[in-house]
Amino acid sequence: MILPGRRRRDAGSATDRPTAPREWSAVERRLWRAIRDGDCFEDEVTVRGQVIRHLLLTPPPPIDGQMLHLRARGVRISGELDLAGTDIAIPVHFQDCLFEATPILDHAKLPSIRLENCVLPGLSAEGVTTDGDMELRSSHLTGELNLVTAKIGGLLNLRWAKITPVGRIAIDAEDATIAAIGARGLRCEGCWYLNSTVTGGIFLDEAQIVGEHAFIQAPQMTIGNGGFYARNGFRCEGTVNLAFSTVGGPITFDNAALISAGGKAFTGIGIRLTGDLRASPGAVFEGTVDLAGAEISGAVELSESRLTAPGPEGALRLTRTVVQGGLTMRSAQWSGPVDLTMARIAGGVDLTSTELHDDGSLTAVGASISGDLDLRGSVLSGRMDASSAMLQGDLHLDGTVLGHEDGTSLRARGMTARRLNFRPARPPGRVELDHSTVTVLADRGASWPTRSGHFSLDQFAYQSLVSDMTVQERLAWLAVGTPHAEPGPYNQLAACLRAAGLEREAGRVLREKLRRTARARGRIWQAWGLLQDITVGYGYQPGRAVAGVLGLLLAGTAFFSRATCGPAAGLCPIKTDEHPAWDPFMYCLDLLVPLISLGHDTTWDPTGWSKIVSLILIVAGWVLVTTVAAAAARALNRP
């Protein structure tokens, strides 16, 4: 807005006022008087740039109480306005003016300069110093805006300006120091260099950085508490690069479009960000969002955003990134991998209802997450790898669609989590949980792969189960998950059941472990295991041994009660004059108990079928006693 100068009528008579040189033209003399009186020079006339330079370097003496100010509206400036290296003492304001040549302000010093709604073939202001604002609001530059090493004490105002350079550089402000940069609605058809620039804040809402060479190159910037705002229709058809910058406020891309298909849409490698990084809702990226090695004190908010055409680094790269406020990416539509390798994220990772397409994998190898890793209702077309990840919260896979049905869908070897909710929408491909530890495993049978070898559970530890699976279904689950009969998963399940007071079910699990162990060994061990299983249930059904002994004892007693030695009942004695009275029960008992002799087995001499039956009882006795002893030892030593 132009505020016309106010003429002070009480500053003295017209004859007391200084006058312009008589050799000047009438137009130039009127401009001289406008500066003297603080008025706005408004006329559709042409003024030479040399005259304006002269007026700024040797302005008229001020009238008492009046501040000198160059204000020109609707003027055409012919020739070159060269103020390089000058020290201008009065503010400069051009409105609706046309410059035939590029103004030169290199290393000049000014209180402030405003070029409002002007047309100029560029502006060279390398090393310029202003105490106040530099304004190019609504102006059109057909060449480069050069602000290298400039020091602008106020706002660099580029609101609704248009820069259409002949070359590729539209704005070059490397190593500049600017209080703030406001460029709402700017249209910049070229690249923008802000390398190592220091500013209090950057405001690019609705700005358009477009064209063949469009990008913002701003590594190692220092941005104060004002932050970096590029929202509400902001569009950059190239990379926005803030690598290794320090930002005291937020970085915001709400409803913005960053387009660098196959490259990097946003680069924040090594950035130090005090506030949040937001691209929600409605942000569109074509290219990688790279935050590797960044330190973010706030949150990363990417909900309802969309990314296509990622670069070689994938869709989102947070490798070794520290995020204090959590990562939220709800209901997003992204293509390509998301990499959280070795990231440290406080507050959790929320990817609920997010879809990752086109090899949309999630890698969190070695990540440390203080909250939950939540993928409820999400869709991953690629693999999820959380190997060696440390989750202080839960891993939620309820209703999740895990990709790679013919390959590895979930790899979580060595993962630590408070709770694993494994209820995906459909059975995934291979699941690897070896050496992982969770406090609670919540699952359902229909969620696990059914083919042998499609999930592995070696040394997978959990303390309690929340599931609809029966013990029989859980044993079938272990059979699929342990194709090589590893004992650890059975011990783990048995310990969990025993902790829940299900002792009988725990014993059933351990019997199945021993059955599988025996079947995996040689034929002799298989036979021995089968015998133990039939007789005493591997020590977990000792009643079978007791029933076996009683059965053999009764059968043997019945058989030997019919034995005769000539006319006498019973077997023939070895010594006719030294033998106890014949007792078929005591004889069978002495044969079945090999460790203690009752004096009957060595007294009588069986022959024929009696000898065969005696040998059977002796062998059966040794087998049963040995088996019972082993079962007792196992029962005493089992966890």
Side-chain angles (χ1 to χ4, degrees):
M1 178 178 179
I2 302 300
L3 299 176
R6 292 176 296 174
R7 195 184 295 269
R8 294 180 58 89
R9 299 299 180 185
D10 56 348
S13 64
T15 58
D16 297 331
R17 297 175 185 171
T19 60
R22 294 186 176 182
E23 63 272 17
W24 285 8
S25 68
V27 171
E28 293 167 346
R29 294 172 66 174
R30 284 196 294 115
L31 177 59
W32 187 90
R33 288 195 298 271
I35 295 174
R36 181 196 64 184
D37 299 341
D39 288 339
C40 177
F41 180 78
E42 186 174 0
D43 200 347
E44 294 182 2
V45 295
T46 299
V47 179
R48 292 175 296 164
Q50 292 179 346
V51 172
I52 295 176
R53 170 187 165 86
H54 178 78
L55 288 172
L56 292 175
L57 292 177
T58 57
I63 301 174
D64 293 341
Q66 183 65 49
M67 183 182 71
L68 298 181
H69 197 152
L70 172 59
R71 301 178 184 178
R73 179 184 295 159
V75 176
R76 184 186 186 97
I77 293 90
S78 64
E80 189 176 73
L81 176 58
D82 187 353
L83 300 175
T86 60
D87 190 347
I88 307 301
I90 66 176
V92 179
H93 183 188
F94 293 97
Q95 182 180 2
D96 302 323
C97 294
L98 173 63
F99 290 80
E100 294 181 353
T102 299
I104 300 176
L105 304 178
D106 297 345
H107 304 286
K109 295 182 180 180
L110 301 95
S112 64
I113 181 168
R114 298 171 65 185
L115 300 168
E116 184 180 358
N117 200 32
C118 295
V119 177
L120 55 162
L123 176 63
S124 181
E126 180 175 344
V128 70
T129 299
T130 68
D131 297 328
D133 299 342
M134 174 179 280
E135 183 170 329
L136 291 101
R137 182 164 53 125
S138 301
S139 292
H140 182 191
L141 280 70
T142 58
E144 176 184 343
L145 173 59
N146 183 357
L147 297 172
V148 175
T149 68
K151 293 180 174 57
I152 300 174
L155 173 68
L156 173 60
N157 190 345
L158 301 172
R159 289 170 60 94
W160 306 107
K162 183 177 181 181
I163 304 176
T164 56
V166 176
R168 67 187 187 88
I169 300 177
I171 301 175
D172 191 349
E174 289 190 14
D175 296 305
T177 301
I178 304 171
I181 300 174
R184 184 186 186 96
L186 167 71
R187 182 175 178 85
C188 185
E189 298 180 7
C191 60
W192 193 350
Y193 286 101
L194 291 169
N195 306 48
S196 303
T197 297
V198 178
T199 183
I202 299 179
F203 307 93
L204 300 175
D205 292 354
E206 302 180 60
Q208 305 285 301
I209 316 297
V210 297
E212 181 182 357
H213 304 291
F215 56 80
I216 297 178
Q217 184 76 0
Q220 298 182 322
M221 274 197 77
T222 299
I223 303 176
N225 296 335
F228 185 100
Y229 288 85
R231 307 168 298 179
N232 303 329
F234 170 81
R235 181 181 180 87
C236 181
E237 295 181 352
T239 302
V240 176
N241 182 2
L242 295 176
F244 302 103
S245 295
T246 300
V247 184
I251 296 177
T252 304
F253 294 111
D254 294 349
N255 293 306
L258 280 68
I259 312 298
S260 182
K264 292 186 178 182
F266 175 73
T267 297
I269 299 173
I271 197 171
R272 304 294 180 264
L273 176 61
T274 300
D276 298 338
L277 173 63
R278 291 182 50 88
S280 170
V284 176
F285 300 96
E286 291 187 17
T288 300
V289 175
D290 194 345
L291 295 168
E295 294 183 6
I296 301 173
S297 298
V300 176
E301 173 62 67
L302 302 172
S303 296
E304 300 182 37
S305 59
R306 181 165 57 90
L307 184 145
T308 60
E313 291 83 3
L316 175 63
R317 188 166 174 245
L318 290 171
T319 306
R320 299 184 182 275
T321 301
V322 177
V323 182
Q324 298 295 336
L327 168 62
T328 304
M329 198 173 167
R330 291 190 295 266
S331 302
Q333 299 277 339
W334 284 48
S335 296
V338 173
D339 191 353
L340 309 180
T341 300
M342 302 297 292
R344 289 187 294 153
I345 302 176
V349 176
D350 186 353
L351 277 74
T352 55
S353 302
T354 289
E355 297 184 13
L356 301 179
H357 301 290
D358 302 328
D359 193 25
S361 60
L362 173 63
T363 301
V365 176
S368 177
I369 301 173
S370 64
D372 297 342
L373 177 53
D374 195 342
L375 287 92
R376 283 177 287 190
S378 61
V379 177
L380 276 67
S381 62
R383 173 193 302 168
M384 176 179 175
D385 192 343
S387 299
S388 303
M390 298 181 62
L391 311 181
Q392 295 183 19
D394 305 338
L395 173 55
H396 294 284
L397 296 174
D398 294 339
T400 306
V401 176
L402 296 171
H404 284 184
E405 294 184 25
D406 297 328
T408 300
S409 294
L410 174 62
R411 176 173 291 163
R413 294 179 175 179
M415 179 192 71
T416 301
R418 182 176 60 190
R419 181 184 178 105
L420 172 58
N421 289 330
F422 189 81
R423 303 185 183 99
R426 67 186 186 200
R430 180 171 172 79
V431 176
E432 300 175 359
L433 295 173
D434 308 84
H435 304 280
S436 293
T437 301
V438 299
T439 304
V440 179
L441 171 61
D443 65 349
R444 57 176 177 235
S447 298
W448 293 94
T450 57
R451 297 193 315 189
S452 178
H454 266 56
F455 62 94
S456 55
L457 304 169
D458 186 27
Q459 299 188 45
F460 172 48
Y462 47 90
Q463 296 180 14
S464 61
L465 287 168
V466 177
S467 179
D468 60 354
M469 297 171 67
T470 64
V471 174
Q472 184 62 37
E473 291 172 331
R474 189 64 69 178
L475 289 175
W477 172 73
L478 282 180
V480 175
T482 56
H484 302 294
E486 298 93 342
Y490 287 89
N491 293 334
Q492 172 63 55
L493 178 57
C496 180
L497 294 173
R498 187 175 289 114
L502 303 174
E503 188 68 34
R504 183 175 181 181
E505 288 79 359
R508 184 176 176 183
V509 171
L510 293 174
R511 288 199 308 272
E512 182 61 25
K513 177 194 73 171
L514 294 171
R515 287 191 190 105
R516 291 197 64 195
T517 302
R519 286 196 294 266
R521 306 175 75 174
R523 292 187 178 182
I524 296 177
W525 284 102
Q526 291 178 12
W528 175 243
L530 179 60
L531 183 59
Q532 288 191 83
D533 193 9
I534 293 173
T535 54
V536 292
Y538 291 101
Y540 297 98
Q541 290 181 319
R544 292 186 180 183
V546 175
V549 170
L550 291 176
L552 290 172
L553 182 60
L554 293 176
T557 300
F559 176 82
F560 286 110
S561 64
R562 299 181 181 181
T564 58
C565 181
L571 299 176
C572 296
I574 296 176
K575 296 180 179 181
T576 56
D577 55 346
E578 295 181 11
H579 61 85
W582 168 249
D583 188 333
F585 177 81
M586 294 299 294
Y587 178 73
C588 291
L589 183 61
D590 211 358
L591 292 175
L592 285 170
V593 183
L595 302 178
I596 300 175
S597 178
L598 302 177
H600 285 261
D601 57 338
T602 59
T603 303
W604 308 100
D605 184 18
T607 59
W609 282 103
S610 296
K611 189 170 186 176
I612 294 174
V613 173
S614 297
L615 290 173
I616 291 174
L617 291 176
I618 291 172
V619 172
W622 275 107
V623 170
L624 288 172
V625 168
T626 304
T627 304
V628 170
R634 186 179 297 113
L636 292 173
N637 291 293
R638 62 187 167 184

